């Protein structure tokens, strides 16, 4: 990766959905948040499965699709990391525009 912004991002996400199962269990056990995080993780895993399956069966013509494998390019942990970077850095338009 040569993009300096991407290189400045943390390697692990602040979003509990991107934490390891051990981290989630240790930090959220006994809280309602654990159940919510597990539900969200299940939804993301299902959507990832649908998208990955569709791309494998019918790759878009003329588009380079990264391999959906464990090499860190398009694998599920990478998707969770990217989601965590997005949700921790996105704000409602009203906060930006001052509306």
């Amino acid at each position: 990766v040569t993009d300096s912004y991407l290189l400045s991002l943390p390697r692990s996400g602040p979003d509990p959905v991107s934490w390891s199962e051990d981290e989630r269990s240790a930090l959220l056990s006994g809280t309602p948040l654990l159940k919510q995080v597990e539900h969200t993780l299940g939804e993301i895993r299902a959507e990832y499965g649908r998208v990955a399956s569709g791309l494998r069966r019918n790759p878009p013509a003329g588009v380079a699709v990264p391999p959906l494998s464990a090499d860190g390019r398009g694998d599920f942990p990478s998707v969770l990391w990217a989601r965590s970077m997005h949700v921790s850095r996105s704000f409602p338009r009203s906060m930006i525009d001052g509306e």
Side-chain angles (χ1 to χ4, degrees), residues 48-77:
Y48 175 82
R50 285 190 294 273
V51 169
S53 176
L55 287 173
R56 286 186 188 111
R57 280 193 322 269
N58 190 17
V63 176
V65 177
L68 299 168
S69 65
D71 68 358
R73 299 189 65 222
D75 65 348
F76 189 66

PDB file of all heavy atoms in Angstrom, residues 48-77:
ATOM      1  N   TYR A  48     -21.365 -10.816   3.103  1.00  0.00           N
ATOM      2  CA  TYR A  48     -20.058 -11.128   2.510  1.00  0.00           C
ATOM      3  C   TYR A  48     -20.144 -12.435   1.724  1.00  0.00           C
ATOM      4  O   TYR A  48     -19.637 -12.522   0.605  1.00  0.00           O
ATOM      5  CB  TYR A  48     -18.987 -11.236   3.597  1.00  0.00           C
ATOM      6  CG  TYR A  48     -17.649 -11.678   3.074  1.00  0.00           C
ATOM      7  CD1 TYR A  48     -16.778 -10.758   2.499  1.00  0.00           C
ATOM      8  CD2 TYR A  48     -17.252 -13.004   3.141  1.00  0.00           C
ATOM      9  CE1 TYR A  48     -15.544 -11.164   2.008  1.00  0.00           C
ATOM     10  CE2 TYR A  48     -16.028 -13.419   2.656  1.00  0.00           C
ATOM     11  CZ  TYR A  48     -15.178 -12.489   2.092  1.00  0.00           C
ATOM     12  OH  TYR A  48     -13.961 -12.891   1.603  1.00  0.00           O
ATOM     13  N   GLY A  49     -20.785 -13.426   2.301  1.00  0.00           N
ATOM     14  CA  GLY A  49     -20.926 -14.710   1.611  1.00  0.00           C
ATOM     15  C   GLY A  49     -21.672 -14.572   0.303  1.00  0.00           C
ATOM     16  O   GLY A  49     -21.286 -15.156  -0.711  1.00  0.00           O
ATOM     17  N   ARG A  50     -22.755 -13.778   0.315  1.00  0.00           N
ATOM     18  CA  ARG A  50     -23.528 -13.574  -0.931  1.00  0.00           C
ATOM     19  C   ARG A  50     -22.687 -12.851  -1.985  1.00  0.00           C
ATOM     20  O   ARG A  50     -22.673 -13.241  -3.152  1.00  0.00           O
ATOM     21  CB  ARG A  50     -24.791 -12.781  -0.638  1.00  0.00           C
ATOM     22  CG  ARG A  50     -25.877 -13.584   0.042  1.00  0.00           C
ATOM     23  CD  ARG A  50     -27.205 -12.839   0.109  1.00  0.00           C
ATOM     24  NE  ARG A  50     -27.148 -11.664   0.968  1.00  0.00           N
ATOM     25  CZ  ARG A  50     -27.370 -11.669   2.285  1.00  0.00           C
ATOM     26  NH1 ARG A  50     -27.640 -12.809   2.899  1.00  0.00           N
ATOM     27  NH2 ARG A  50     -27.320 -10.553   2.971  1.00  0.00           N
ATOM     28  N   VAL A  51     -21.989 -11.802  -1.573  1.00  0.00           N
ATOM     29  CA  VAL A  51     -21.186 -11.025  -2.535  1.00  0.00           C
ATOM     30  C   VAL A  51     -20.027 -11.865  -3.064  1.00  0.00           C
ATOM     31  O   VAL A  51     -19.788 -11.922  -4.270  1.00  0.00           O
ATOM     32  CB  VAL A  51     -20.676  -9.719  -1.887  1.00  0.00           C
ATOM     33  CG1 VAL A  51     -19.644  -9.039  -2.767  1.00  0.00           C
ATOM     34  CG2 VAL A  51     -21.833  -8.780  -1.596  1.00  0.00           C
ATOM     35  N   ALA A  52     -19.290 -12.518  -2.162  1.00  0.00           N
ATOM     36  CA  ALA A  52     -18.148 -13.332  -2.590  1.00  0.00           C
ATOM     37  C   ALA A  52     -18.588 -14.448  -3.525  1.00  0.00           C
ATOM     38  O   ALA A  52     -17.950 -14.692  -4.550  1.00  0.00           O
ATOM     39  CB  ALA A  52     -17.432 -13.909  -1.367  1.00  0.00           C
ATOM     40  N   SER A  53     -19.683 -15.097  -3.195  1.00  0.00           N
ATOM     41  CA  SER A  53     -20.192 -16.174  -4.035  1.00  0.00           C
ATOM     42  C   SER A  53     -20.576 -15.650  -5.421  1.00  0.00           C
ATOM     43  O   SER A  53     -20.254 -16.255  -6.443  1.00  0.00           O
ATOM     44  CB  SER A  53     -21.395 -16.828  -3.360  1.00  0.00           C
ATOM     45  OG  SER A  53     -21.955 -17.807  -4.173  1.00  0.00           O
ATOM     46  N   GLY A  54     -21.257 -14.521  -5.447  1.00  0.00           N
ATOM     47  CA  GLY A  54     -21.658 -13.926  -6.721  1.00  0.00           C
ATOM     48  C   GLY A  54     -20.468 -13.523  -7.569  1.00  0.00           C
ATOM     49  O   GLY A  54     -20.462 -13.725  -8.792  1.00  0.00           O
ATOM     50  N   LEU A  55     -19.445 -12.961  -6.936  1.00  0.00           N
ATOM     51  CA  LEU A  55     -18.258 -12.556  -7.688  1.00  0.00           C
ATOM     52  C   LEU A  55     -17.482 -13.750  -8.218  1.00  0.00           C
ATOM     53  O   LEU A  55     -16.915 -13.700  -9.307  1.00  0.00           O
ATOM     54  CB  LEU A  55     -17.341 -11.689  -6.817  1.00  0.00           C
ATOM     55  CG  LEU A  55     -17.840 -10.279  -6.546  1.00  0.00           C
ATOM     56  CD1 LEU A  55     -16.944  -9.584  -5.534  1.00  0.00           C
ATOM     57  CD2 LEU A  55     -17.931  -9.472  -7.834  1.00  0.00           C
ATOM     58  N   ARG A  56     -17.470 -14.820  -7.465  1.00  0.00           N
ATOM     59  CA  ARG A  56     -16.781 -16.032  -7.936  1.00  0.00           C
ATOM     60  C   ARG A  56     -17.519 -16.664  -9.118  1.00  0.00           C
ATOM     61  O   ARG A  56     -16.906 -17.130 -10.066  1.00  0.00           O
ATOM     62  CB  ARG A  56     -16.662 -17.042  -6.805  1.00  0.00           C
ATOM     63  CG  ARG A  56     -15.625 -16.676  -5.777  1.00  0.00           C
ATOM     64  CD  ARG A  56     -15.452 -17.807  -4.760  1.00  0.00           C
ATOM     65  NE  ARG A  56     -14.594 -17.370  -3.686  1.00  0.00           N
ATOM     66  CZ  ARG A  56     -15.007 -17.155  -2.434  1.00  0.00           C
ATOM     67  NH1 ARG A  56     -16.269 -17.369  -2.115  1.00  0.00           N
ATOM     68  NH2 ARG A  56     -14.177 -16.754  -1.513  1.00  0.00           N
ATOM     69  N   ARG A  57     -18.855 -16.683  -9.036  1.00  0.00           N
ATOM     70  CA  ARG A  57     -19.663 -17.290 -10.105  1.00  0.00           C
ATOM     71  C   ARG A  57     -19.709 -16.428 -11.357  1.00  0.00           C
ATOM     72  O   ARG A  57     -19.738 -16.941 -12.463  1.00  0.00           O
ATOM     73  CB  ARG A  57     -21.091 -17.525  -9.617  1.00  0.00           C
ATOM     74  CG  ARG A  57     -21.288 -18.741  -8.781  1.00  0.00           C
ATOM     75  CD  ARG A  57     -22.767 -19.077  -8.594  1.00  0.00           C
ATOM     76  NE  ARG A  57     -23.631 -17.925  -8.441  1.00  0.00           N
ATOM     77  CZ  ARG A  57     -23.970 -17.344  -7.279  1.00  0.00           C
ATOM     78  NH1 ARG A  57     -23.487 -17.819  -6.164  1.00  0.00           N
ATOM     79  NH2 ARG A  57     -24.778 -16.321  -7.240  1.00  0.00           N
ATOM     80  N   ASN A  58     -19.768 -15.121 -11.175  1.00  0.00           N
ATOM     81  CA  ASN A  58     -19.987 -14.221 -12.299  1.00  0.00           C
ATOM     82  C   ASN A  58     -19.161 -12.949 -12.133  1.00  0.00           C
ATOM     83  O   ASN A  58     -19.706 -11.889 -11.850  1.00  0.00           O
ATOM     84  CB  ASN A  58     -21.486 -13.890 -12.385  1.00  0.00           C
ATOM     85  CG  ASN A  58     -21.840 -13.164 -13.645  1.00  0.00           C
ATOM     86  OD1 ASN A  58     -21.080 -13.168 -14.592  1.00  0.00           O
ATOM     87  ND2 ASN A  58     -22.996 -12.526 -13.643  1.00  0.00           N
ATOM     88  N   PRO A  59     -17.835 -13.041 -12.320  1.00  0.00           N
ATOM     89  CA  PRO A  59     -17.012 -11.843 -12.149  1.00  0.00           C
ATOM     90  C   PRO A  59     -17.368 -10.783 -13.186  1.00  0.00           C
ATOM     91  O   PRO A  59     -17.658 -11.110 -14.336  1.00  0.00           O
ATOM     92  CB  PRO A  59     -15.583 -12.343 -12.338  1.00  0.00           C
ATOM     93  CG  PRO A  59     -15.692 -13.686 -12.954  1.00  0.00           C
ATOM     94  CD  PRO A  59     -17.076 -14.204 -12.713  1.00  0.00           C
ATOM     95  N   PRO A  60     -17.397  -9.507 -12.784  1.00  0.00           N
ATOM     96  CA  PRO A  60     -17.739  -8.446 -13.728  1.00  0.00           C
ATOM     97  C   PRO A  60     -16.689  -8.335 -14.835  1.00  0.00           C
ATOM     98  O   PRO A  60     -15.498  -8.416 -14.576  1.00  0.00           O
ATOM     99  CB  PRO A  60     -17.787  -7.178 -12.874  1.00  0.00           C
ATOM    100  CG  PRO A  60     -17.137  -7.530 -11.581  1.00  0.00           C
ATOM    101  CD  PRO A  60     -17.127  -9.011 -11.454  1.00  0.00           C
ATOM    102  N   ALA A  61     -17.171  -8.166 -16.068  1.00  0.00           N
ATOM    103  CA  ALA A  61     -16.271  -8.057 -17.217  1.00  0.00           C
ATOM    104  C   ALA A  61     -15.456  -6.771 -17.135  1.00  0.00           C
ATOM    105  O   ALA A  61     -15.982  -5.704 -16.836  1.00  0.00           O
ATOM    106  CB  ALA A  61     -17.083  -8.076 -18.502  1.00  0.00           C
ATOM    107  N   GLY A  62     -14.170  -6.899 -17.351  1.00  0.00           N
ATOM    108  CA  GLY A  62     -13.301  -5.736 -17.409  1.00  0.00           C
ATOM    109  C   GLY A  62     -12.967  -5.122 -16.061  1.00  0.00           C
ATOM    110  O   GLY A  62     -12.376  -4.055 -15.989  1.00  0.00           O
ATOM    111  N   VAL A  63     -13.344  -5.774 -14.972  1.00  0.00           N
ATOM    112  CA  VAL A  63     -13.066  -5.248 -13.636  1.00  0.00           C
ATOM    113  C   VAL A  63     -12.159  -6.231 -12.917  1.00  0.00           C
ATOM    114  O   VAL A  63     -12.444  -7.424 -12.865  1.00  0.00           O
ATOM    115  CB  VAL A  63     -14.369  -5.044 -12.830  1.00  0.00           C
ATOM    116  CG1 VAL A  63     -14.064  -4.591 -11.417  1.00  0.00           C
ATOM    117  CG2 VAL A  63     -15.282  -4.059 -13.534  1.00  0.00           C
ATOM    118  N   ALA A  64     -11.065  -5.709 -12.374  1.00  0.00           N
ATOM    119  CA  ALA A  64     -10.153  -6.557 -11.621  1.00  0.00           C
ATOM    120  C   ALA A  64     -10.692  -6.721 -10.203  1.00  0.00           C
ATOM    121  O   ALA A  64     -10.696  -5.788  -9.417  1.00  0.00           O
ATOM    122  CB  ALA A  64      -8.758  -5.948 -11.592  1.00  0.00           C
ATOM    123  N   VAL A  65     -11.198  -7.888  -9.899  1.00  0.00           N
ATOM    124  CA  VAL A  65     -11.730  -8.187  -8.567  1.00  0.00           C
ATOM    125  C   VAL A  65     -10.602  -8.798  -7.753  1.00  0.00           C
ATOM    126  O   VAL A  65      -9.982  -9.763  -8.188  1.00  0.00           O
ATOM    127  CB  VAL A  65     -12.917  -9.168  -8.660  1.00  0.00           C
ATOM    128  CG1 VAL A  65     -13.411  -9.541  -7.277  1.00  0.00           C
ATOM    129  CG2 VAL A  65     -14.030  -8.572  -9.492  1.00  0.00           C
ATOM    130  N   PRO A  66     -10.305  -8.214  -6.568  1.00  0.00           N
ATOM    131  CA  PRO A  66      -9.237  -8.811  -5.764  1.00  0.00           C
ATOM    132  C   PRO A  66      -9.608 -10.222  -5.348  1.00  0.00           C
ATOM    133  O   PRO A  66     -10.794 -10.533  -5.202  1.00  0.00           O
ATOM    134  CB  PRO A  66      -9.138  -7.885  -4.544  1.00  0.00           C
ATOM    135  CG  PRO A  66     -10.390  -7.109  -4.515  1.00  0.00           C
ATOM    136  CD  PRO A  66     -10.945  -7.094  -5.912  1.00  0.00           C
ATOM    137  N   PRO A  67      -8.612 -11.072  -5.171  1.00  0.00           N
ATOM    138  CA  PRO A  67      -8.926 -12.436  -4.753  1.00  0.00           C
ATOM    139  C   PRO A  67      -9.611 -12.433  -3.394  1.00  0.00           C
ATOM    140  O   PRO A  67      -9.241 -11.680  -2.509  1.00  0.00           O
ATOM    141  CB  PRO A  67      -7.561 -13.117  -4.692  1.00  0.00           C
ATOM    142  CG  PRO A  67      -6.560 -12.033  -4.695  1.00  0.00           C
ATOM    143  CD  PRO A  67      -7.198 -10.825  -5.286  1.00  0.00           C
ATOM    144  N   LEU A  68     -10.628 -13.227  -3.253  1.00  0.00           N
ATOM    145  CA  LEU A  68     -11.343 -13.341  -1.988  1.00  0.00           C
ATOM    146  C   LEU A  68     -10.720 -14.500  -1.226  1.00  0.00           C
ATOM    147  O   LEU A  68     -11.238 -15.595  -1.203  1.00  0.00           O
ATOM    148  CB  LEU A  68     -12.829 -13.551  -2.236  1.00  0.00           C
ATOM    149  CG  LEU A  68     -13.499 -12.413  -3.003  1.00  0.00           C
ATOM    150  CD1 LEU A  68     -14.877 -12.820  -3.463  1.00  0.00           C
ATOM    151  CD2 LEU A  68     -13.569 -11.166  -2.153  1.00  0.00           C
ATOM    152  N   SER A  69      -9.567 -14.233  -0.651  1.00  0.00           N
ATOM    153  CA  SER A  69      -8.820 -15.295  -0.002  1.00  0.00           C
ATOM    154  C   SER A  69      -8.189 -14.789   1.285  1.00  0.00           C
ATOM    155  O   SER A  69      -8.351 -13.637   1.665  1.00  0.00           O
ATOM    156  CB  SER A  69      -7.727 -15.805  -0.948  1.00  0.00           C
ATOM    157  OG  SER A  69      -6.787 -14.776  -1.172  1.00  0.00           O
ATOM    158  N   ALA A  70      -7.443 -15.637   1.915  1.00  0.00           N
ATOM    159  CA  ALA A  70      -6.826 -15.304   3.198  1.00  0.00           C
ATOM    160  C   ALA A  70      -5.523 -14.529   3.040  1.00  0.00           C
ATOM    161  O   ALA A  70      -4.780 -14.384   3.991  1.00  0.00           O
ATOM    162  CB  ALA A  70      -6.582 -16.569   3.994  1.00  0.00           C
ATOM    163  N   ASP A  71      -5.247 -14.011   1.863  1.00  0.00           N
ATOM    164  CA  ASP A  71      -4.000 -13.261   1.694  1.00  0.00           C
ATOM    165  C   ASP A  71      -4.158 -11.791   2.076  1.00  0.00           C
ATOM    166  O   ASP A  71      -3.265 -10.990   1.862  1.00  0.00           O
ATOM    167  CB  ASP A  71      -3.474 -13.390   0.263  1.00  0.00           C
ATOM    168  CG  ASP A  71      -4.359 -12.701  -0.767  1.00  0.00           C
ATOM    169  OD1 ASP A  71      -5.416 -12.148  -0.398  1.00  0.00           O
ATOM    170  OD2 ASP A  71      -3.990 -12.714  -1.948  1.00  0.00           O
ATOM    171  N   GLY A  72      -5.293 -11.435   2.661  1.00  0.00           N
ATOM    172  CA  GLY A  72      -5.482 -10.066   3.118  1.00  0.00           C
ATOM    173  C   GLY A  72      -6.091  -9.150   2.087  1.00  0.00           C
ATOM    174  O   GLY A  72      -6.154  -7.951   2.292  1.00  0.00           O
ATOM    175  N   ARG A  73      -6.532  -9.675   0.969  1.00  0.00           N
ATOM    176  CA  ARG A  73      -7.132  -8.839  -0.065  1.00  0.00           C
ATOM    177  C   ARG A  73      -8.533  -9.323  -0.336  1.00  0.00           C
ATOM    178  O   ARG A  73      -8.742 -10.200  -1.142  1.00  0.00           O
ATOM    179  CB  ARG A  73      -6.289  -8.883  -1.334  1.00  0.00           C
ATOM    180  CG  ARG A  73      -4.882  -8.370  -1.111  1.00  0.00           C
ATOM    181  CD  ARG A  73      -4.126  -8.221  -2.393  1.00  0.00           C
ATOM    182  NE  ARG A  73      -4.768  -7.199  -3.193  1.00  0.00           N
ATOM    183  CZ  ARG A  73      -4.964  -7.291  -4.503  1.00  0.00           C
ATOM    184  NH1 ARG A  73      -4.569  -8.329  -5.154  1.00  0.00           N
ATOM    185  NH2 ARG A  73      -5.559  -6.318  -5.158  1.00  0.00           N
ATOM    186  N   GLY A  74      -9.484  -8.732   0.354  1.00  0.00           N
ATOM    187  CA  GLY A  74     -10.860  -9.112   0.129  1.00  0.00           C
ATOM    188  C   GLY A  74     -11.347 -10.210   1.050  1.00  0.00           C
ATOM    189  O   GLY A  74     -12.479 -10.642   0.918  1.00  0.00           O
ATOM    190  N   ASP A  75     -10.505 -10.683   1.973  1.00  0.00           N
ATOM    191  CA  ASP A  75     -10.976 -11.706   2.887  1.00  0.00           C
ATOM    192  C   ASP A  75     -11.877 -11.081   3.952  1.00  0.00           C
ATOM    193  O   ASP A  75     -11.960  -9.866   4.096  1.00  0.00           O
ATOM    194  CB  ASP A  75      -9.817 -12.493   3.501  1.00  0.00           C
ATOM    195  CG  ASP A  75      -8.920 -11.645   4.385  1.00  0.00           C
ATOM    196  OD1 ASP A  75      -9.035 -10.411   4.366  1.00  0.00           O
ATOM    197  OD2 ASP A  75      -8.095 -12.232   5.101  1.00  0.00           O
ATOM    198  N   PHE A  76     -12.583 -11.910   4.688  1.00  0.00           N
ATOM    199  CA  PHE A  76     -13.571 -11.423   5.640  1.00  0.00           C
ATOM    200  C   PHE A  76     -12.963 -10.517   6.714  1.00  0.00           C
ATOM    201  O   PHE A  76     -13.516  -9.444   6.991  1.00  0.00           O
ATOM    202  CB  PHE A  76     -14.340 -12.598   6.251  1.00  0.00           C
ATOM    203  CG  PHE A  76     -15.515 -12.159   7.072  1.00  0.00           C
ATOM    204  CD1 PHE A  76     -16.599 -11.529   6.481  1.00  0.00           C
ATOM    205  CD2 PHE A  76     -15.535 -12.362   8.437  1.00  0.00           C
ATOM    206  CE1 PHE A  76     -17.687 -11.107   7.239  1.00  0.00           C
ATOM    207  CE2 PHE A  76     -16.614 -11.957   9.197  1.00  0.00           C
ATOM    208  CZ  PHE A  76     -17.688 -11.326   8.598  1.00  0.00           C
ATOM    209  N   PRO A  77     -11.832 -10.864   7.331  1.00  0.00           N
ATOM    210  CA  PRO A  77     -11.244  -9.943   8.310  1.00  0.00           C
ATOM    211  C   PRO A  77     -10.894  -8.584   7.706  1.00  0.00           C
ATOM    212  O   PRO A  77     -11.026  -7.544   8.371  1.00  0.00           O
ATOM    213  CB  PRO A  77      -9.988 -10.670   8.800  1.00  0.00           C
ATOM    214  CG  PRO A  77     -10.289 -12.112   8.582  1.00  0.00           C
ATOM    215  CD  PRO A  77     -11.114 -12.148   7.313  1.00  0.00           C
TER     216      PRO A  77
END
